[in-house]
mmCIF file of all heavy atoms in Angstrom:
data_model
loop_
_atom_site.group_PDB
_atom_site.id
_atom_site.type_symbol
_atom_site.label_atom_id
_atom_site.label_comp_id
_atom_site.label_asym_id
_atom_site.label_seq_id
_atom_site.Cartn_x
_atom_site.Cartn_y
_atom_site.Cartn_z
ATOM 1 N N ILE A 977 -8.055 53.701 -23.901
ATOM 2 C CA ILE A 977 -7.634 52.336 -24.181
ATOM 3 C C ILE A 977 -8.288 51.750 -25.370
ATOM 4 O O ILE A 977 -9.463 52.088 -25.649
ATOM 5 C CB ILE A 977 -8.050 51.484 -22.790
ATOM 6 C CG1 ILE A 977 -7.452 50.094 -22.848
ATOM 7 C CG2 ILE A 977 -9.561 51.385 -22.671
ATOM 8 C CD1 ILE A 977 -7.422 49.435 -21.433
ATOM 9 N N ASN A 978 -7.613 50.950 -26.075
ATOM 10 C CA ASN A 978 -8.170 50.486 -27.386
ATOM 11 C C ASN A 978 -9.035 49.242 -27.056
ATOM 12 O O ASN A 978 -9.009 48.571 -26.064
ATOM 13 C CB ASN A 978 -7.118 50.197 -28.517
ATOM 14 C CG ASN A 978 -6.216 48.938 -28.149
ATOM 15 O OD1 ASN A 978 -6.656 47.975 -27.709
ATOM 16 N ND2 ASN A 978 -4.892 49.213 -28.289
ATOM 17 N N ASP A 979 -9.861 48.916 -28.071
ATOM 18 C CA ASP A 979 -10.930 47.825 -27.889
ATOM 19 C C ASP A 979 -10.313 46.514 -27.521
ATOM 20 O O ASP A 979 -10.832 45.764 -26.705
ATOM 21 C CB ASP A 979 -11.803 47.821 -29.116
ATOM 22 C CG ASP A 979 -12.978 48.702 -29.094
ATOM 23 O OD1 ASP A 979 -13.099 49.470 -28.047
ATOM 24 O OD2 ASP A 979 -13.662 48.816 -30.032
ATOM 25 N N GLU A 980 -9.241 46.153 -28.259
ATOM 26 C CA GLU A 980 -8.682 44.844 -28.045
ATOM 27 C C GLU A 980 -8.063 44.725 -26.655
ATOM 28 O O GLU A 980 -8.302 43.714 -25.998
ATOM 29 C CB GLU A 980 -7.626 44.549 -29.206
ATOM 30 C CG GLU A 980 -6.952 43.279 -29.135
ATOM 31 C CD GLU A 980 -7.948 42.035 -29.016
ATOM 32 O OE1 GLU A 980 -9.125 42.130 -29.355
ATOM 33 O OE2 GLU A 980 -7.531 41.024 -28.465
ATOM 34 N N THR A 981 -7.303 45.733 -26.204
ATOM 35 C CA THR A 981 -6.715 45.688 -24.936
ATOM 36 C C THR A 981 -7.854 45.646 -23.814
ATOM 37 O O THR A 981 -7.718 44.965 -22.886
ATOM 38 C CB THR A 981 -5.740 46.894 -24.654
ATOM 39 O OG1 THR A 981 -4.932 46.942 -25.844
ATOM 40 C CG2 THR A 981 -4.971 46.694 -23.442
ATOM 41 N N ARG A 982 -8.789 46.522 -24.045
ATOM 42 C CA ARG A 982 -9.880 46.480 -22.992
ATOM 43 C C ARG A 982 -10.561 45.223 -22.923
ATOM 44 O O ARG A 982 -10.944 44.692 -21.861
ATOM 45 C CB ARG A 982 -10.940 47.613 -23.512
ATOM 46 C CG ARG A 982 -12.094 47.708 -22.637
ATOM 47 C CD ARG A 982 -13.105 48.870 -23.000
ATOM 48 N NE ARG A 982 -13.434 48.706 -24.375
ATOM 49 C CZ ARG A 982 -14.577 48.091 -24.781
ATOM 50 N NH1 ARG A 982 -15.390 47.640 -23.905
ATOM 51 N NH2 ARG A 982 -14.824 48.112 -26.103
ATOM 52 N N ARG A 983 -10.851 44.605 -24.097
ATOM 53 C CA ARG A 983 -11.523 43.213 -24.152
ATOM 54 C C ARG A 983 -10.741 42.238 -23.278
ATOM 55 O O ARG A 983 -11.219 41.488 -22.452
ATOM 56 C CB ARG A 983 -11.675 42.677 -25.527
ATOM 57 C CG ARG A 983 -12.648 41.613 -25.658
ATOM 58 C CD ARG A 983 -12.824 41.069 -27.099
ATOM 59 N NE ARG A 983 -11.500 40.682 -27.736
ATOM 60 C CZ ARG A 983 -10.847 39.587 -27.515
ATOM 61 N NH1 ARG A 983 -11.465 38.639 -26.688
ATOM 62 N NH2 ARG A 983 -9.798 39.262 -28.100
ATOM 63 N N GLN A 984 -9.326 42.225 -23.595
ATOM 64 C CA GLN A 984 -8.539 41.250 -22.944
ATOM 65 C C GLN A 984 -8.477 41.619 -21.370
ATOM 66 O O GLN A 984 -8.609 40.649 -20.534
ATOM 67 C CB GLN A 984 -7.015 41.313 -23.439
ATOM 68 C CG GLN A 984 -6.874 40.636 -24.732
ATOM 69 C CD GLN A 984 -5.505 40.809 -25.326
ATOM 70 O OE1 GLN A 984 -4.548 41.286 -24.660
ATOM 71 N NE2 GLN A 984 -5.409 40.639 -26.599
ATOM 72 N N ASN A 985 -8.421 42.755 -20.972
ATOM 73 C CA ASN A 985 -8.422 43.161 -19.554
ATOM 74 C C ASN A 985 -9.757 42.764 -18.863
ATOM 75 O O ASN A 985 -9.777 42.116 -17.773
ATOM 76 C CB ASN A 985 -8.178 44.639 -19.409
ATOM 77 C CG ASN A 985 -6.829 45.057 -19.809
ATOM 78 O OD1 ASN A 985 -5.840 44.186 -19.946
ATOM 79 N ND2 ASN A 985 -6.528 46.369 -19.841
ATOM 80 N N MET A 986 -10.894 43.064 -19.572
ATOM 81 C CA MET A 986 -12.167 42.767 -19.033
ATOM 82 C C MET A 986 -12.363 41.255 -18.834
ATOM 83 O O MET A 986 -12.879 40.851 -17.785
ATOM 84 C CB MET A 986 -13.293 43.270 -19.811
ATOM 85 C CG MET A 986 -13.372 44.875 -19.789
ATOM 86 S SD MET A 986 -14.511 45.546 -20.916
ATOM 87 C CE MET A 986 -16.214 45.106 -20.127
ATOM 88 N N ASN A 987 -11.855 40.489 -19.766
ATOM 89 C CA ASN A 987 -12.023 39.007 -19.714
ATOM 90 C C ASN A 987 -11.194 38.378 -18.671
ATOM 91 O O ASN A 987 -11.297 37.133 -18.418
ATOM 92 C CB ASN A 987 -11.854 38.439 -21.147
ATOM 93 C CG ASN A 987 -12.956 38.758 -22.048
ATOM 94 O OD1 ASN A 987 -13.975 39.359 -21.626
ATOM 95 N ND2 ASN A 987 -12.767 38.349 -23.190
ATOM 96 N N GLN A 988 -10.268 39.208 -18.066
ATOM 97 C CA GLN A 988 -9.609 38.544 -16.947
ATOM 98 C C GLN A 988 -10.158 38.935 -15.639
ATOM 99 O O GLN A 988 -9.713 38.393 -14.573
ATOM 100 C CB GLN A 988 -8.088 39.061 -16.833
ATOM 101 C CG GLN A 988 -7.295 38.333 -18.037
ATOM 102 C CD GLN A 988 -5.850 39.148 -18.224
ATOM 103 O OE1 GLN A 988 -5.371 39.770 -17.342
ATOM 104 N NE2 GLN A 988 -5.346 39.080 -19.427
ATOM 105 N N VAL A 989 -11.204 39.791 -15.658
ATOM 106 C CA VAL A 989 -11.837 40.266 -14.393
ATOM 107 C C VAL A 989 -13.282 39.689 -14.403
ATOM 108 O O VAL A 989 -13.766 39.382 -13.339
ATOM 109 C CB VAL A 989 -11.889 41.828 -14.376
ATOM 110 C CG1 VAL A 989 -12.685 42.275 -13.198
ATOM 111 C CG2 VAL A 989 -10.534 42.441 -14.405
#
Side-chain angles (χ1 to χ4, degrees):
I977 192 163
N978 67 48
D979 276 349
E980 181 49 25
T981 314
R982 177 175 57 91
R983 191 180 61 77
Q984 283 176 16
N985 291 347
M986 287 173 77
N987 286 352
Q988 284 169 27
V989 176

